[in-house]
Structures are given as structure tokens and as C-alpha cells.
Amino acid sequence: MNRTITLEGMHCADCAVKLERSVSRLEGVNQVSVNFATAKMSLAYTEPIVNFEIIKKQINNLGYGIQQQSSENRVSVFRIDGMDCADCAQKLEKRVGSLTAVNQVTVNYGAAKMTVDHNGTADQSILQTVKQAGYTATLDTGNITRSTAEASFWRRNNKVLPTFLSGLLFALAWVLTVGDLVNQVFSTILYAAAIVVGGFRIARTGFYGLKSRIIGMDLLMTVAAVGAALIGQWEEGAAVVFLFSLGETLEAYTMDRTRKSIRGLMEFSPKEALVRRDGRESMIAIEDIQIGDTVIIKPGEKIAMDGVILKGHSTINQAPITGESIPVEKSRGDEVFAGTINQQGALEVEVTKLSKDNTLSRIISMVEDAQAQKAPSQRFVDVFSKYYTPAVLIIAVGLAIIPPVFFGQPFQMWIYRSLMMLVVSCPCALVISTPVSIVSAIGNAARNGILIKGGAHLERLGAVSVVAFDKTGTLTAGMPQVTVVIALDGRKEEEVLSIAAGIESSSEHPVAEAIVRFAEQKGIRLKEISSFSSVTGQGVKATIQGEEYFIGSPKWFIHDLNVSLEEIKAKIQELEQQAQTVMVMGTSEQVIAIFAVADEVRANSKSTLEQLKRIGIKKTVMLTGDNRGTAQAVAAKLGDIEYYAELLPQDKVASMKKLMAEYGHVAMIGDGVNDAPALATATVGIAMGAAGTDTALETADVALMADDLSKLPYAISLSRRALKIIKQNIAFSLLVKVVFLVMIFMGTSTLWMAVLADTGSSLIVIANGMRLLRKKSD
């Protein structure tokens, strides 16, 4: 059980420690975390070893109370506008989490989304808190049709107008001063006006954060601007306010563009569809369409809902979902996805999922959730920033006090330098260096039919050196195909196919289906049969025009039907050595045809392996439960690939562990359902053909939405590029900090230069990360 409660009577940090230790000693309590600032306790415990009443009694005995919780707890999701800094997201999370009615809050910076678990009455107080923090919150209903045709960023963002006015006043004061057109008093008034207009929002947000015991960048900039004014540096103070506000505005704009790259997927789904109910057709909003409704899709229209085709035949452009560049033919019984485009024929589709549950909605939701998951490099940055910022603040205070007090240095000079130190202490560029790259890379992958389930998986995928493949359905098509038809006894191929397909049409065996499908593709009419019967493990028999025919394994003909196969024995052995399944057809007296069926290697499997080798993958391995002969034959067609054959599920796991012990990071790719233990064991588990497959979407670390292996090299190269850019961003952010700290001590920096460096470095790392959005799949 997991539970978050609000405590009463906790007045010091020592109380929190005492509560944690005492409750954690209870048998059955797995984890306890007490947040003194918010008076919240998070619990994880095992029932029936311990129940909540026992925990509650322990808390009461220690002298503390538990605030009454509403029995109607619910989770609300809010879209946050104006959140341009990953550090800001952490502070907003803390502010909202301190509300009495809130149990738990998670802010997803990458998607600008906040998820709040509360007692059912907190929506308005949450909205007010977000507003006080300087942002705008909108309750998200979860419908895919949520409008994306909103006002432009420049009209709706609350930073734009103050920034523009502050810049205008600053520029006017500077021009008039440089031109010696006004006296110093008037220019000072203009600079002060620029500080007030541009800094009011910043100061309001900063001091509200201070009330919540949060020292944010807004507060530091406010102190820097006011400090500059107090020591007579009005021009510097105005420059600080304008440049900081401008940087925030540009950061917000670039992040807004990044987020829209994913939310823009919503536009692939129409807002309404033509639905037939009770014999009547009408246009209905997609959130009102129910499972079982029939949706009519005309040529050229976007498909509004996930469903199954009841009537019609067409080609469907599935690129928005699967990334496939070539349209796919669909007919009755085939599955279609919301957001794809019907290109030719009219279709009638039975709805199988509600709009909020369809494949497109789930992809958007999963991508946003993936962007919120921290990669190892981001966790490193978070820990570094946790110690870095307080350390720089302490140094800044020391700069303002120690040289003037102990060494007789000028107060104004060292206060000015301490103000610069406050500005440089902002960790924005460093904190944002990783998430913006992850957001961009995961978003790019999603638009190309690759779902990466989190930053950690993105980093691990970029680090793999070995790729292991399941054979059936991954390297091969997973559907047996007729490869050879040999007519004997002077008969024609069309004749033996007509007989074989007629008999096999009553069987559900995969090989039988392959023969029937092959005959239908050739337009051959199936013979009518009677008295069909199946012999388990051997074959089938049926009567056609009074004569009995048999189709089955060669052993059946030799041992049970006593039909000699000496004349065709060599041919049968040759086909079997090529990893083909051989079926013989004949009467009780003679053989009239040989059929060979094989699970054919995918057309792009070999080229994919070659491409993986070109991008630096050291080894590719095929894991299969098939016999060694079949595995060897498939490996020969693929070229440079090792194979492990005759593997049970536990053997595949052992093989994965062996590869990981020898090579480190190993990716395993399969269908997302079979071979689950091996996929789970691998460094990264990759599922193929995940579109419409709930299990694959939920369980895989990475999901290729289409049955297209060629997406794999692209996914790995994109991940490697993301890793490279993350390292570049971190290194650049730290280098800028070091350079300006040195400049401050040497006295060669100015306050406005420090602000420009801080905001500029943030914009540069954002722009560098956004380059990942532009990388296209071949």
C-alpha cells in the first residue's frame, strides 16, 4: 500500500526525523519519508502485516495528529503555461505540494504538465497557487481534441508585455543619456521605470517563493536589481531586469515550440466524425463516440477512432502512428488507428476504443510521461545543483562582507561583485541542459514511429554495443509462405494447387493457411471437398470427386500410408536443409505434388543488420527455439549474424546474461509479448509492431510502432546523438560558470554581462538540444 498523509503538531525538523525513525520500525512498513516543510508523510507498507490504524496509533502516541482526509481523493492534471525552467518546475512542485488538501504532486517540465493527487476540493487553490507563482494553469480533461488552435505565444505569455516595455524604457534612457539629451535625474527615472515595469512580476514571484521557503532565481535577480539601484548603478539594474526578463521570455518561447512538437500530434485526429446510429447518420464529437458505434470514413479523410473495418477496402497512410512511409492496404477485419489517413476507398469502421484510450492518445500520454522520467545524467545534474547553488550563495555573502570588513576594501565594489555572484549562481542552463535534449529526442522518435519510454532508456539505448533478435516475427515475417510447388505425375501446378487449397481450406494449421493464401493470390479456384478429417501431427485428408487425397508430412506417407517416396527423397532433404517445411500431397497409391513452406526472412532484415554494423554495433545475435538446421539456414540468408538455437525461454535469459557479462549493454528486440523474460533481462527491451498492442506499449522500454526493423538503427543513432548533445550542454554550462566566476574575482565582469551570460547560456543549451527535433528517419 502507498499513502500520503498530512501531519498536525510537527513544529521542527527534529520532529520529522523522530517520526520517520519511529514509524519505520513498525513491522510491515517498507518506507517512510517525512517532508517537514509541507508536513507530509509518504508511506509504503504491506498489509496485512500492518494496517493504517496501527501506523496512525503510533503517530498519535508520539504526540502528533493526522489531518482528516476526504474519502473522495482524486487526481487532477493541469497544463502549465509559462514554465520555462526545469528548476522552476521543482519549486512549483514544492509550492503546490505544501497545500493542505494536496497529497502528492508531480510536475512534468518537459510536457508542461502537473499531476496532483488531492482530496477532491483543491482545484481552485491549485490554480491560485500556480498563478501566484507566475504561471497559468488549465485543467486538462484528457480528451485528444483539446484545442491546439490557441492564441500565439507572444499574445498569451505574461512575460512578453513587461519585457517589451522594460526594454523600450531601458533603450530610451540609454539613447537619451548617450546623446546627452537629458539630465541624470530624468535618465535615472527612466531606468527606475524600466526596473519597476520589468521587475514587478519577477519580484512578486521571487518573494512569494520566499514565503514558501524557496530561494529561486527570481528572488536572486530582484536582490541584484535592487542592490544595483542602492549603490547608484541604475543603468546596471535596468539592464539586469530587461536581460533576465528577455532571456526568460525566449526560453519560454523555445520550450513552447518543443512541447508543441508532441502536443501537435493531436491535430492528426479530427474533432468529429460521421457516425451511423440506429440507421441514422450524423456528425458527432469524437469524445461522444462510444465503443460499438459505426464510423463512416470517406476517401481523403482522417480516421477519427481506433476500430475494425466492417466494410470497404482502402490504403491507409499510417505515418502519424507508425512512421511507415508507404501506405498500407486494409480491408474487412483489419485494424485501423485514429490519426491515420484513408487515401482511397470509403470505409465503415466499428469503434473499439474511446477517444481518450485510443492508440494516438496513449502515444501522446506515454511520450509526455517518458519526458518526465529522469535520465542518469539528469539525476547527476540535479544532485550537483543541489550543492552548487547554496555554495555559490555562501561565497556571494562572503564577498560582500569579508573584504570590506577584514581588509578595508571598498564596500560598493565588493557588494557589486557579490551581486554578480548571485546572478552567476543561477543553475538554469545546467539544469535545463539534459531535459530539453531528452524532450526533443523522445519527441522526434515518436513522430517517426518509435516510442522511447523514458530518459533512462534513451541513454541506455545509445550505449548498447550488442543487439539480440528473436527470430520468428522479428527477423522473419512470422507468417509461413509457400516457397516451392512441384507438380508430379504429369500434373500442372494450377491443378495440384486447386486440390491442395480446397483440402486445406478446412484446416486452421498455419501451413494450411499458407497454401490457401498462395492459391488465392494466384487466382486459382479451390476444389470442392467432402469428408474432411485431420490426423493429429500428421496431416489432413479429404475426398474430391470420389477420390481420396492426403496432405501431410513425408513420414506419414512412408510409415502409415505405405507410399514410396524414394524418387523424391533427395529433393525433400534438399528443401529441409534450407529450413523449409515440406508437405507431400497424394493418394493412397502415389505422390502427386510437393509443397515447401517457410517463414521468410523480412526484406529489410539483412540491410538493417548491415546498417547496425555501420553505426558501430559490435555484434548481432539471433535467439531462437528452432532447431539448429533452421537457425543456420536463416543466419546464412542474413549474413553476418551469430545464432543460438534450440533455446527454451530460460535459455534465452541465460544467453542474454552471458552477452551482457561479456559486452556490457545489450538490446533485445522481439514482439513484446513472447520472450518477455529475455526482453526484461536486456539492458533495453524493444518491441516490434506495437501499434494497437496494449501489452507491447505497456511493457517495452522502446516500442517500434510498425513491423519495420529499419527503424532500429535510426533509434540507436538518435539516442547516441542525444547523449552527445547532453554531454556538450553540461560541459558548456559548467564552463560558462567557471569563466564568469574567474572574471568576477578578477574584476573584469559587469552585472549585465553576468545576466547576459546566464540567460544566453540557457538559450544556447536549449537551441542545441532542439537540434534533435530536426533529425529525420530515412
Side-chain angles (χ1 to χ4, degrees):
M1 300 290 294
N2 294 290
R3 192 164 186 165
T4 301
I5 58 175
T6 302
L7 300 166
E8 292 179 337
M10 189 170 63
H11 60 275
C12 67
D14 187 55
C15 300
V17 175
K18 182 170 64 176
L19 274 165
E20 272 190 8
R21 289 177 179 172
S22 180
V23 175
S24 64
R25 291 193 183 106
L26 292 175
E27 186 179 2
V29 173
N30 306 317
Q31 188 174 357
V32 183
S33 176
V34 178
N35 186 330
F36 169 65
T38 61
K40 299 286 176 64
M41 174 185 282
S42 298
L43 293 162
Y45 57 96
T46 304
E47 290 187 340
I49 299 173
V50 67
N51 58 43
F52 183 65
E53 288 304 316
I54 295 174
I55 296 172
K56 182 178 178 181
K57 184 177 179 181
Q58 182 80 350
I59 293 170
N60 291 337
N61 289 340
L62 290 168
Y64 306 101
I66 297 175
Q67 195 171 93
Q68 187 65 34
Q69 301 286 315
S70 169
S71 59
E72 298 181 355
N73 280 8
R74 64 186 176 89
V75 175
S76 297
V77 177
F78 298 86
R79 295 285 168 180
I80 309 297
D81 189 34
M83 186 170 60
D84 52 26
C85 172
D87 191 46
C88 304
Q90 295 174 5
K91 292 178 175 64
L92 180 61
E93 191 172 285
K94 186 176 179 181
R95 290 185 195 182
V96 176
S98 65
L99 295 174
T100 303
V102 171
N103 301 320
Q104 191 171 4
V105 57
T106 303
V107 177
N108 180 338
Y109 167 69
K113 183 169 70 172
M114 179 172 68
T115 304
V116 185
D117 183 340
H118 59 97
N119 66 5
T121 65
D123 281 348
Q124 288 305 313
S125 58
I126 291 168
L127 293 172
Q128 183 64 26
T129 301
V130 173
K131 184 178 179 181
Q132 289 174 332
Y135 313 112
T136 303
T138 307
L139 192 62
D140 191 348
T141 61
N143 287 324
I144 193 170
T145 51
R146 192 178 69 85
S147 176
T148 55
E150 53 194 5
S152 72
F153 169 85
W154 304 108
R155 294 180 60 186
R156 61 184 164 81
N157 190 273
N158 64 0
K159 297 181 175 69
V160 174
L161 184 59
T163 301
F164 173 76
L165 292 176
S166 177
L168 187 63
L169 289 167
F170 173 75
L172 180 61
W174 185 79
V175 169
L176 292 175
T177 302
V178 171
D180 200 22
L181 301 175
V182 295
N183 58 37
Q184 186 175 355
V185 173
F186 188 77
S187 64
T188 299
I189 291 173
L190 288 177
Y191 283 132
I195 292 173
V196 172
V197 171
F200 177 77
R201 176 193 59 82
I202 298 169
R204 181 171 173 269
T205 304
F207 283 110
Y208 182 79
L210 186 61
K211 285 171 62 179
S212 302
R213 298 185 180 90
I214 298 169
I215 298 176
M217 190 56 196
D218 296 283
L219 180 65
L220 298 181
M221 285 298 175
T222 302
V223 172
V226 172
L230 289 175
I231 62 175
Q233 299 289 335
W234 292 95
E235 182 181 355
E236 291 273 356
V240 166
V241 169
F242 168 63
L243 290 173
F244 177 68
S245 186
L246 178 64
E248 276 197 322
T249 304
L250 293 176
E251 286 177 30
Y253 172 68
T254 51
M255 285 309 302
D256 185 69
R257 285 184 55 198
T258 306
R259 289 162 183 150
K260 277 189 171 181
S261 70
I262 294 303
R263 300 301 296 173
L265 289 173
M266 287 182 173
E267 296 174 4
F268 286 116
S269 179
K271 297 180 180 180
E272 56 183 10
L274 182 61
V275 177
R276 182 186 296 131
R277 283 181 183 170
D278 303 323
R280 298 176 60 185
E281 296 180 2
S282 59
M283 297 298 294
I284 297 178
I286 68 166
E287 59 263 29
D288 296 327
I289 298 175
Q290 302 298 315
I291 294 174
D293 282 344
T294 299
V295 177
I296 299 167
I297 302 121
K298 297 176 182 178
E301 289 185 345
K302 293 177 181 177
I303 296 174
M305 307 290 288
D306 279 15
V308 175
I309 297 175
L310 296 176
K311 183 180 179 181
H313 178 276
S314 183
T315 54
I316 308 294
N317 180 357
Q318 298 192 146
I321 298 294
T322 66
E324 295 168 283
S325 57
I326 300 174
V328 180
E329 288 196 13
K330 301 270 186 174
S331 57
R332 182 177 178 180
D334 289 333
E335 190 175 16
V336 293
F337 310 116
T340 57
I341 303 167
N342 178 27
Q343 292 195 319
Q344 295 178 348
L347 298 174
E348 293 185 12
V349 173
E350 180 182 356
V351 176
T352 56
K353 292 179 182 176
L354 299 176
S355 64
K356 63 185 179 66
D357 298 324
N358 65 34
T359 303
L360 181 59
S361 295
R362 295 183 64 192
I363 289 172
I364 294 170
S365 177
M366 287 183 173
V367 168
E368 290 184 339
D369 291 343
Q371 291 170 342
Q373 295 180 23
K374 294 183 178 180
S377 59
Q378 188 173 350
R379 287 193 287 271
F380 158 75
V381 168
D382 289 346
V383 172
F384 179 85
S385 299
K386 181 180 178 181
Y387 296 102
Y388 161 79
T389 303
V392 175
L393 286 174
I394 292 170
I395 294 172
V397 173
L399 271 180
I401 296 172
I402 295 173
V405 172
F406 294 99
F407 299 101
Q409 296 289 314
F411 265 102
Q412 184 170 334
M413 180 181 73
W414 288 101
I415 288 175
Y416 184 73
R417 290 183 180 181
S418 71
L419 292 176
M420 285 190 285
M421 187 70 72
L422 288 177
V423 173
V424 173
S425 70
C426 174
C428 284
L430 184 63
V431 172
I432 206 173
S433 61
T434 301
V436 71
S437 303
I438 290 172
V439 167
S440 299
I442 290 176
N444 182 323
R447 295 201 313 276
N448 285 285
I450 305 162
L451 181 58
I452 301 175
K453 301 287 284 293
H457 304 309
L458 177 73
E459 287 200 6
R460 286 199 290 265
L461 182 61
V464 299
S465 58
V466 176
V467 179
F469 297 84
D470 174 41
K471 181 183 78 69
T472 305
T474 303
L475 291 169
T476 64
M479 182 181 293
Q481 302 285 343
V482 174
T483 56
V484 175
V485 178
I486 301 175
L488 305 172
D489 192 34
R491 298 177 186 251
K492 295 182 178 180
E493 181 179 313
E494 291 79 3
E495 180 187 358
V496 296
L497 263 176
S498 177
I499 295 170
I503 298 171
E504 296 285 26
S505 63
S506 297
S507 173
E508 296 181 353
H509 194 279
V511 172
E513 292 175 354
I515 293 174
V516 173
R517 189 167 54 248
F518 186 72
E520 290 176 344
Q521 288 171 352
K522 287 184 167 291
I524 295 173
R525 185 177 178 182
L526 279 61
K527 293 282 189 181
E528 293 186 5
I529 66 169
S530 60
S531 65
F532 172 87
S533 63
S534 174
V535 180
T536 303
Q538 301 294 342
V540 295
K541 59 182 178 179
T543 301
I544 299 176
Q545 297 177 349
E547 187 168 7
E548 191 172 40
Y549 290 89
F550 303 84
I551 304 179
S553 68
K555 291 180 180 179
W556 187 33
F557 276 78
I558 295 171
H559 299 303
D560 296 334
L561 301 179
N562 296 317
V563 176
S564 174
L565 302 183
E566 282 300 320
E567 293 183 4
I568 58 173
K569 183 178 180 181
K571 187 62 178 177
I572 291 173
Q573 290 176 343
E574 178 188 343
L575 292 171
E576 287 180 339
Q577 288 172 357
Q578 296 172 3
Q580 303 195 58
T581 301
V582 178
M583 305 289 286
V584 176
M585 183 175 75
T587 65
S588 57
E589 298 176 354
Q590 62 179 353
V591 176
I592 63 172
I594 301 172
F595 297 93
V597 177
D599 184 8
E600 288 291 280
V601 171
R602 291 180 184 271
N604 61 359
S605 290
K606 186 173 182 179
S607 61
T608 297
L609 297 180
E610 292 170 351
Q611 196 170 352
L612 287 172
K613 187 175 182 180
R614 283 198 297 272
I615 66 173
I617 296 298
K618 296 179 181 177
K619 181 191 289 286
T620 52
V621 180
M622 179 178 69
L623 308 179
T624 178
D626 286 344
N627 63 63
R628 192 166 299 278
T630 300
Q632 185 177 14
V634 172
K637 292 181 181 179
L638 292 170
D640 188 18
I641 187 171
E642 292 188 12
Y643 64 88
Y644 299 161
E646 300 175 7
L647 301 177
L648 296 172
Q650 59 267 31
D651 298 326
K652 291 186 178 181
V653 170
S655 298
M656 287 303 304
K657 289 180 178 178
K658 179 182 176 183
L659 288 169
M660 291 170 70
E662 186 174 352
Y663 295 97
H665 299 290
V666 179
M668 168 76 182
I669 180 166
D671 62 8
V673 180
N674 297 326
D675 303 311
L679 287 168
T681 303
T683 307
V684 182
I686 305 172
M688 273 188 65
T693 307
D694 292 347
T695 305
L697 278 175
E698 294 292 345
T699 59
D701 299 327
V702 178
L704 307 184
M705 303 307 293
D707 281 332
D708 186 0
L709 267 182
S710 66
K711 297 289 183 182
L712 182 59
Y714 170 68
I716 294 174
S717 61
L718 177 66
S719 300
R720 288 180 172 178
R721 190 161 177 249
L723 281 175
K724 184 178 179 181
I725 286 178
I726 287 170
K727 291 175 182 177
Q728 289 173 355
N729 283 348
I730 292 173
F732 174 75
S733 301
L734 292 174
L735 179 62
V736 169
K737 299 295 182 189
V738 170
V739 168
F740 267 83
L741 287 174
V742 172
M743 289 176 67
I744 288 169
F745 279 106
M746 293 178 64
T748 56
S749 175
T750 62
L751 194 56
W752 69 267
M753 286 173 62
V755 176
L756 187 62
D758 179 73
T759 56
S761 60
S762 295
L763 290 172
I764 289 171
V765 298
I766 290 173
N768 195 35
M770 286 180 66
R771 289 194 298 132
L772 291 163
L773 285 171
R774 298 197 300 269
K775 187 172 175 63
K776 301 293 183 182
S777 175
D778 297 331

